[in-house]
């Protein structure tokens, strides 16, 4: 276990270094050096170039080679002292990030809870009513909902509740009522995705022999479903709820831009548009860190919940892995008497659908 | 790609399958189409997308006004006002004309980005599956790093670097999305590689590249088509998202994201400005998804094959 954890941590750090190298390398292609950009950045945007200029020059030096700038930045990132941003010379990069992250979290946590609260009942219902109208209807609705990006839902909600009924604010961030539209808009796509996943997972469990055994022992349908099937089918959900939360915590960029919410997404966008190097590197690395950490936690939780999942199995160069028994679902479809050989090739695609922001 | 598909159809099997409508055709493509066209919703969506493409191509003929022409004395005209079917925007530009031209932006960037991503994915995915070894390891490692970038943030970075030209946006979206499809291609090639007819083909001396192109790819056409039909709307979502961030095609060229973000500032007084792009955007996304679902059923690709 310790060895496994150590390997995963090393891999996480390597991934972070790769992300920082790619980002920094790409930013080198933008014309102008650190110091040039700092000057233009501050003067264009009305910043105080006198104070920040010297500090930035002192930090990154105008005629220092790129690799040294990179090392300076990384040293700052590791010691949590990333220095001032170009755009906001009075604040340090880490302050800006730590100010914005709670805003993003206060959208992501309710949105994740809302997703769980709505998606699981829908998925269970669709599975129990398999091949009935309710099943077809909900699957069709869910597939369609999943096709639409969150920002379209945000607009739709604004049109209904802000413009039509006049009960919710159009944009801004100064009270709990400002949270309602973004949270609901963010949750819709994950709800659709998770509900379909719950349905598949439930159907998978319903085919297991222990369900028949439980019924044979005289278990009521409701008891069997609630106590046995639902519980077992919740285990694989860990693998998908984690990434959903990670996506929501970091990937609310478009909705934040549209609704004027001062979260991480907007910080990143501002940094990108003004080419604010330190802030851009800082937010990108922070995004990546949150993402990788959540995936690590998911993998660890999963192996605790289901000891059958070996560490070696879940530690390949992937983030999370669905349990194998879920992927073999085709083989046990009613109507096929001989189970087809499950796809065991190393390339067996286990790609997860990714939530769109 | 079309050449490959042509090869796939082994003579006139495609033609006969298309003509007779039976599922007895020889090719993967023909059989898929025969099943696909029974799905009325998917077929209707295909017709709808076809119609949108025609409208986009014929934009200069269909649009009553120029998309950039401003008329500041005529701002915020309501729907169905004199001469302006969908009214005018904050600069007095005709919304209907802008909507037609924005269709061009969306479809052009959506299709181009997805085709470019698919092309890169085909080359890298096939190479990784065929050669294995180092290429494969690099692909996997790169995939892992790309996963650490939250969705579309990589595209944002690339647009910042390359600028806001349509070409730059296409390249940015394709670069940010090709990894998943490369994995899909690789998985497909690895799967089909194990079939007996491939072994038979190899035993009579066919070379590796020829086998990949002539035998493996045609059999992977189903999952690839499904991935493409979900990839195009995703590219459109990315393009509009970039426009919402102020990183889309440069104004005055209209795009859905741009029209939405411009109109949003006036949403309380003039909600019609965002309703028009919203409806068209939503319908287009739904149509692509229903096509993709139809294709998935027709080619019987499992959920996991989706990239």
């Amino acid at each position: 276990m310790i060895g496994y954890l150590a390997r995963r941590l090393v891999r996480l750090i390597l991934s972070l270094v790769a992300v920082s190298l790619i980002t920094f390398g790409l930013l080198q292609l933008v014309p102008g050096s650190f110091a040039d950009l700092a000057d233009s950045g501050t003067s264009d945007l009305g910043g105080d170039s006198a104070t920040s200029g010297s500090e930035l020059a002192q930090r990154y030096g105008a005629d220092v080679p790129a690799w040294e700038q990179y090392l300076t930045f990384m040293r700052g990132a590791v010691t949590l002292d990333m220095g001032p941003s170009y755009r906001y010379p009075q604040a340090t990069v880490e302050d800006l990030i730590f100010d914005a992250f709670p805003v993003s979290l206060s959208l992501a946590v309710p949105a994740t809870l809302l997703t769980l609260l709505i998606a699981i009942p829908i998925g269970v219902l669709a599975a129990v009513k398999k091949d009935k109208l309710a099943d077809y209807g909900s699957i069709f609705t869910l597939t369609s909902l999943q096709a639409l990006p969150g920002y379209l839902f945000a607009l739709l909600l604004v049109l209904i509740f802000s413009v039509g009924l006049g009960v919710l604010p159009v944009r801004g961030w100064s009270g709990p009522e400002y949270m309602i539209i973004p949270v609901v808009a963010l949750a819709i796509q994950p709800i659709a995705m998770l509900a379909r996943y719950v349905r598949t997972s439930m159907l998978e469990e319903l085919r297991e022999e222990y369900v028949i055994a439980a019924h044979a022992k005289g278990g009521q349908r409701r008891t069997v479903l609630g106590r046995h099937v639902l519980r077992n089918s919740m285990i694989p959900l860990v693998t998908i709820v984690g990434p959903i939360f990670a996506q929501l915590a970091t990937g609310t960029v478009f909705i934040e831009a549209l609704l004027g919410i001062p979260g991480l997404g907007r910080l990143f966008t501002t940094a990108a548009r003004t080419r604010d190097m330190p802030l851009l590197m800082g937010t990108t690395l922070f995004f990546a860190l949150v993402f990788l950490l959540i995936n690590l936690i998911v993998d660890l939780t999963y192996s605790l919940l289901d000891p059958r999942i070996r560490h070696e199995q879940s530690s390949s160069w992937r983030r999370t892995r669905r349990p194998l028994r879920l992927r073999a679902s085709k083989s046990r479809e009613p109507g096929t008497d001989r189970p087809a050989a499950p796809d065991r090739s190393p390339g067996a695609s286990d790609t997860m659908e990714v939530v769109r922001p | 790609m079309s050449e490959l598909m042509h090869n796939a159809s082994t003579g006139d099997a495609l033609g006969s399958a298309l003509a007779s409508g039976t599922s007895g055709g020889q090719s993967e493509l023909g059989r898929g189409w025969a099943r696909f066209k029974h799905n009325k919703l998917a077929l209707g969506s295909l017709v709808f997308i076809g119609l949108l493409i025609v409208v986009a191509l014929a934009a200069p003929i269909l649009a009553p006004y120029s998309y950039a022409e401003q008329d500041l004395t005529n701002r915020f005209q309501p729907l169905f006002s004199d001469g302006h079917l969908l009214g005018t925007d904050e600069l007095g530009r005709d919304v209907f004309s802008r909507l037609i031209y924005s269709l061009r932006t969306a479809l052009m960037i959506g299709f181009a980005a997805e085709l470019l991503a698919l092309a890169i994915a085909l080359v890298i995915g096939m190479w990784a599956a065929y050669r294995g070894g180092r290429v494969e390891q690099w692909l996997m490692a790169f995939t892992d790093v790309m996963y650490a970038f939250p969705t579309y943030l990589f595209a944002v970075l690339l647009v910042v670097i390359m600028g806001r030209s349509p070409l730059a946006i296409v390249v940015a979206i394709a670069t940010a999305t090709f990894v998943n499809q490369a994995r899909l291609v690789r998985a497909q090639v690895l799967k089909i590689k194990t079939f007996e007819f491939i072994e038979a083909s190899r035993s009579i001396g066919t070379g590796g590249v020829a086998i990949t192109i002539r035998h493996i790819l045609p059999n992977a056409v189903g999952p690839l088509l499904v991935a493409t039909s979900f990839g195009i709307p995703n590219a459109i979502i990315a393009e509009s998202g970039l426009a919402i961030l102020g990183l889309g095609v440069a104004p005055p060229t209209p795009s859905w994201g741009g029209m939405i973000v411009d109109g949003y500032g006036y949403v309380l007084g003039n909600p019609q400005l965002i309703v028009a792009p919203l409806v068209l955007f939503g319908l287009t996304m739904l149509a692509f998804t229903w096509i993709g679902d139809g294709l998935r059923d027709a080619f019987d690709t499992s959920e996991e094959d989706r990239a």
Side-chain angles (χ1 to χ4, degrees):
Chain A
M1 187 69 188
I2 300 289
Y4 167 68
L5 194 62
R7 275 204 305 280
R8 286 297 304 258
L9 282 175
V10 168
R11 190 164 291 160
L12 187 145
I13 290 166
L14 283 179
S15 291
L16 280 180
V17 171
V19 166
S20 68
L21 274 175
I22 290 177
T23 313
F24 188 83
L26 285 174
L27 288 172
Q28 290 305 304
L29 301 175
V30 181
S33 74
F34 246 83
D36 290 346
L37 283 173
D39 286 346
S40 67
T42 43
S43 50
D44 281 359
L45 299 158
D48 188 356
S49 60
T51 54
S52 69
S54 59
E55 210 177 325
L56 280 163
Q58 192 187 334
R59 195 177 176 84
Y60 296 109
D63 37 31
V64 168
W67 61 268
E68 213 164 295
Q69 290 181 352
Y70 174 76
L71 287 184
T72 312
F73 178 83
M74 287 310 280
R75 204 174 305 131
V78 171
T79 56
L80 269 189
D81 171 29
M82 289 183 269
S85 126
Y86 296 163
R87 174 90 158 83
Y88 310 96
Q90 286 77 19
T92 62
V93 171
E94 59 272 15
D95 285 345
L96 288 170
I97 291 175
F98 292 147
D99 281 348
F101 191 48
V103 175
S104 291
L105 268 190
S106 63
L107 293 183
V109 173
T112 311
L113 291 179
L114 192 65
T115 304
L116 289 172
L117 222 59
I118 297 180
I120 293 179
I122 295 180
V124 170
L125 200 73
V128 173
K129 305 250 179 214
K130 187 180 185 311
D131 294 333
K132 295 203 179 118
L133 193 65
D135 182 33
Y136 288 130
S138 58
I139 286 300
F140 178 74
T141 316
L142 294 173
T143 319
S144 306
L145 285 181
Q146 216 181 336
L148 301 168
Y151 55 82
L152 282 195
F153 283 113
L155 288 173
L156 203 62
L157 293 171
V158 164
L159 284 177
I160 295 172
F161 292 101
S162 309
V163 179
L165 302 174
V167 289
L168 292 174
V170 172
R171 62 183 296 148
W173 186 256
S174 47
E177 71 270 26
Y178 289 86
M179 284 171 56
I180 299 173
I181 286 179
V183 165
V184 175
L186 280 173
I188 289 178
Q189 250 192 351
I191 286 174
M193 185 174 82
L194 188 67
R196 287 173 60 191
Y197 195 86
V198 170
R199 175 181 174 271
T200 320
S201 181
M202 275 287 276
L203 289 179
E204 193 59 37
E205 287 298 325
L206 280 173
R207 286 190 212 107
E208 297 282 340
E209 280 175 357
Y210 73 80
V211 180
I212 302 172
H215 278 304
K217 280 164 66 184
Q220 296 290 310
R221 183 162 171 77
R222 184 174 284 270
T223 325
V224 174
L225 282 178
R227 293 264 278 286
H228 301 284
V229 181
L230 189 60
R231 252 191 216 186
N232 278 317
S233 53
M234 286 304 108
I235 294 179
L237 291 194
V238 176
T239 57
I240 198 170
V241 172
I244 285 180
F245 177 71
Q247 280 281 359
L248 288 177
T250 58
T252 62
V253 183
F254 301 136
I255 285 186
E256 283 182 11
L258 200 60
L259 301 182
I261 298 165
L264 266 188
R266 213 173 67 157
L267 196 62
F268 172 85
T269 320
T270 316
R273 278 171 53 185
T274 55
R275 295 178 180 177
D276 187 337
M277 266 286 286
L279 191 57
L280 194 51
M281 288 282 288
T283 42
T284 309
L285 273 183
F286 188 76
F287 274 137
L289 179 68
V290 171
F291 222 71
L292 293 168
L293 271 183
I294 290 179
N295 282 324
L296 179 63
I297 293 169
V298 165
D299 282 4
L300 293 178
T301 318
Y302 196 74
S303 59
L304 287 179
L305 284 180
D306 192 343
R308 283 174 298 180
I309 308 294
R310 290 237 178 85
H311 291 148
E312 284 73 32
Q313 227 171 34
S314 57
S315 69
S316 68
W317 270 102
R318 289 277 297 115
R319 39 178 192 175
T320 50
R321 199 172 260 279
R322 276 171 163 195
L324 284 168
R325 63 204 165 92
L326 247 182
R327 270 193 280 149
S329 66
K330 282 271 163 189
S331 62
R332 271 179 283 160
E333 206 73 65
T336 53
D337 15 22
R338 189 173 52 86
D343 184 1
R344 289 217 179 76
S345 60
S349 160
D350 48 3
T351 321
M352 249 194 40
E353 295 173 66
V354 175
V355 198
R356 294 176 200 132
Chain B
M1 188 66 200
S2 68
E3 204 184 355
L4 296 176
M5 284 184 184
H6 182 72
N7 281 338
S9 62
T10 55
D12 59 357
L14 174 65
S16 67
L18 287 174
S20 63
T22 60
S23 50
Q26 296 273 311
S27 82
E28 183 82 9
L29 210 58
R31 269 175 289 152
W33 169 252
R35 281 192 294 263
F36 179 82
K37 67 182 184 183
H38 287 299
N39 186 338
K40 294 284 173 274
L41 185 66
L43 204 61
S45 304
L46 193 65
V47 171
F48 177 70
I49 296 294
L51 209 69
L52 290 187
I53 294 174
V54 171
V55 170
L57 289 176
I61 304 167
L62 291 174
Y65 297 89
S66 139
Y67 62 79
E69 189 188 320
Q70 303 182 6
D71 180 2
L72 293 176
T73 60
N74 221 0
R75 304 161 64 208
F76 297 121
Q77 291 295 311
L79 298 180
F80 310 115
S81 62
D82 191 27
H84 298 285
L85 186 61
L86 294 176
T88 58
D89 69 1
E90 73 278 9
L91 295 171
R93 298 173 296 193
D94 182 52
V95 174
F96 183 64
S97 307
R98 285 179 67 74
L99 203 60
I100 288 179
Y101 274 99
S102 69
L103 204 52
R104 271 193 162 184
T105 312
L107 293 180
M108 194 181 69
I109 292 185
F111 274 90
E114 174 54 28
L115 288 183
L116 181 61
L118 195 65
I120 304 173
L122 277 177
V123 172
I124 295 187
M126 283 181 353
W127 194 14
Y130 182 68
R131 292 293 288 273
R134 193 157 293 167
V135 182
E136 199 163 17
Q137 280 172 12
W138 276 106
L139 177 67
M140 292 300 115
F142 188 61
T143 310
D144 213 44
V145 172
M146 287 302 285
Y147 273 135
F149 279 102
T151 330
Y152 304 134
L153 289 205
F154 196 63
V156 171
L157 274 181
L158 290 174
V159 170
V160 165
I161 289 150
M162 294 187 293
R164 293 168 61 180
S165 70
L167 181 67
I169 292 172
V170 165
V171 172
I173 296 174
T175 315
T177 53
F178 84 91
V179 186
N180 261 335
Q181 304 192 23
R183 285 178 54 87
L184 173 79
V185 172
R186 174 180 161 275
Q188 287 294 320
V189 174
L190 284 178
K191 190 172 98 187
I192 297 167
K193 226 167 100 176
T194 60
F195 290 166
E196 278 175 4
F197 73 93
I198 300 293
E199 210 178 318
S201 182
R202 183 166 296 139
S203 70
I204 58 171
T206 318
V209 175
I211 287 181
T212 312
I213 291 177
R214 291 250 295 277
H215 299 297
I216 294 182
L217 262 190
N219 281 290
V221 77
L224 288 182
L225 269 182
V226 175
T228 309
S229 67
F230 286 110
I232 294 170
N234 277 341
I236 295 178
I237 288 172
E239 182 268 324
S240 291
L242 285 172
I244 286 177
L245 302 182
L247 295 166
V249 288
T253 310
S255 78
W256 290 338
M259 290 175 79
I260 285 171
V261 84
D262 289 344
Y264 196 70
Y266 310 95
V267 69
L268 279 178
N270 298 278
Q272 79 276 5
L273 285 181
I274 63 168
V275 171
L278 191 69
V279 169
L280 189 60
F281 194 166
L283 285 179
T284 312
M285 292 302 107
L286 289 177
F288 273 114
T289 299
W290 290 334
I291 293 175
D293 261 12
L295 286 174
R296 187 158 53 195
D297 293 343
F299 287 101
D300 194 29
T301 47
S302 61
E303 189 91 338
E304 291 93 59
D305 277 341
R306 197 173 142 178

